[in-house]
Amino acid sequence: MNNKLIISQSIMWAAAIIVSVLVDEKRLAILLLVILASSSLMTLKKILQL
């Protein structure tokens, strides 16, 4: 389970970085980074509480 958690977190953070690079508007990039980072952290918190 630990390996799956690390892989999923890595994919979410990589997606956040790639999206921020591809988006031209700075506001939209920041919004997407916040959304992806929040979902990543909430998933991590949810898994660690179980």
Side-chain angles (χ1 to χ4, degrees), residues 19-31:
V19 165
S20 68
V21 170
L22 294 177
V23 174
D24 289 336
E25 290 186 36
K26 196 171 195 174
R27 287 184 183 175
L28 182 59
I30 292 172
L31 176 64

Side-chain angles (χ1 to χ4, degrees), residues 2-45:
N2 195 15
N3 288 337
K4 289 181 182 180
L5 177 64
I6 293 171
I7 291 171
S8 67
Q9 291 297 309
S10 298
I11 290 171
M12 285 187 195
W13 284 104
I17 292 168
I18 291 171
V19 165
S20 68
V21 170
L22 294 177
V23 174
D24 289 336
E25 290 186 36
K26 196 171 195 174
R27 287 184 183 175
L28 182 59
I30 292 172
L31 176 64
L32 290 172
L33 275 173
V34 168
I35 291 170
L36 287 170
S38 298
S39 66
S40 175
L41 292 174
M42 287 189 315
T43 304
L44 182 61
K45 182 179 177 184

